[in-house]
């Protein structure tokens, strides 16, 4: 992808298992539907044009965090499963009231957080891993590897891990639904405010 690739409203883009997509200083923007349909044995890969470790020699062979912007979902929906996303600014960022699933994905060397979601209807972010999280820039804390500001169902935000120099947390804000905040590999970070409205029970699990 050179420049940018847009998936407009009413259009569905399916990326088949085993597909390698290399991106040169660009963004994949979604107002329609994105289905990255990888499998455990044959993941989809989205990476820097300079990443010669997969899909043959295309660029410099020296990829770096932020070589491309990432996937930006604005009003669309996405199901991103068993997908490897490398060297993006923010691998997955979403501001959408539609369905969003980010599951069993691997993120490597993001320039900031790996997944950032706003205004989604209870997104599913499960079983993902991030490596190469960057350190703080010194003026402010590094962003959490994962961040959700929306309707928050903790039962759909489980099993995520992160490794690196900073941002080893899962940030949440918004409005909780009845669910259990589980003990997990990463600490929870309440960024802004988290509301537990009347009639809703939020259980904070032991550990």
């Amino acid at each position: 992808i050179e420049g940018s690739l847009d998936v407009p409203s009413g259009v569905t883009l399916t990326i088949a298992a085993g597909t390698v997509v290399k991106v040169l200083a660009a963004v994949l923007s979604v107002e329609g539907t994105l289905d990255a349909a990888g499998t455990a044995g044959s993941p989809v890969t989205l990476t820097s044009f300079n990443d010669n470790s997969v899909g043959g020699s295309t660029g410099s062979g020296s990829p770096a965090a932020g070589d491309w912007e990432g996937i930006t979902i604005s009003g669309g929906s996405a199901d991103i499963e068993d997908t490897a996303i490398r060297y993006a600014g923010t691998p997955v960022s979403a501001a959408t009231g539609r369905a969003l699933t980010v599951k069993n994905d691997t993120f490597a060397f993001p320039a900031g957080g790996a997944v950032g979601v706003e205004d989604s209807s209870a997104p599913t972010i499960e079983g993902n891993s991030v490596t190469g999280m960057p350190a703080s820039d010194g003026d402010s804390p590094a962003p959490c590897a994962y961040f959700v500001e929306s309707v928050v169902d903790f039962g759909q935000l489980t099993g995520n891990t992160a490794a690196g120099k900073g941002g080893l947390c899962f940030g949440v804000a918004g409005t909780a639904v009845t669910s259990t905040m589980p003990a997990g590999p990463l600490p929870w970070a309440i960024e802004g405010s988290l509301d537990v409205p009347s009639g809703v029970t939020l259980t904070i699990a032991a550990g």
Side-chain angles (χ1 to χ4, degrees):
I1 299 174
E2 298 185 42
S4 63
L5 178 65
D6 182 54
V7 182
S9 178
V11 170
T12 298
L13 173 63
T14 299
I15 306 176
T19 300
V20 175
V21 180
K22 296 194 177 186
V23 190
L24 181 61
V27 62
L28 174 57
S29 59
V30 181
E31 293 88 39
T33 300
L34 174 66
D35 184 8
T39 66
S42 188
V44 168
T45 300
L46 294 101
T47 189
S48 166
F49 191 80
N50 292 319
D51 182 2
N52 294 344
S53 69
V54 62
S57 179
T58 50
S60 68
S62 299
D67 271 358
W68 62 291
E69 292 184 40
I71 300 170
T72 300
I73 303 155
S74 300
S77 63
D79 186 355
I80 304 169
E81 300 192 41
D82 291 297
T83 295
I85 304 180
R86 307 173 182 173
Y87 305 107
T90 300
V92 178
S93 60
T96 177
R98 298 174 63 191
L100 176 66
T101 298
V102 180
K103 189 173 183 179
N104 298 329
D105 299 320
T106 59
F107 304 101
F109 303 104
V115 180
V117 181
E118 297 180 2
D119 301 325
S120 180
S121 180
T124 297
I125 302 174
E126 294 181 340
N128 304 289
S129 66
V130 187
T131 56
M133 280 292 294
S136 166
D137 63 8
D139 295 325
S140 59
C144 284
Y146 309 91
F147 177 68
V148 170
E149 183 177 11
S150 69
V151 176
V152 179
D153 183 343
F154 284 95
Q156 296 177 185
L157 306 176
T158 61
N160 301 288
T161 65
K165 296 179 179 179
L168 307 184
C169 50
F170 197 125
V172 292
T175 303
V177 300
T178 296
S179 55
T180 297
M181 180 189 288
L186 297 176
W188 299 99
I190 297 176
E191 301 187 34
S193 63
L194 179 68
D195 182 49
V196 182
S198 177
V200 166
T201 299
L202 175 63
T203 301
I204 302 177

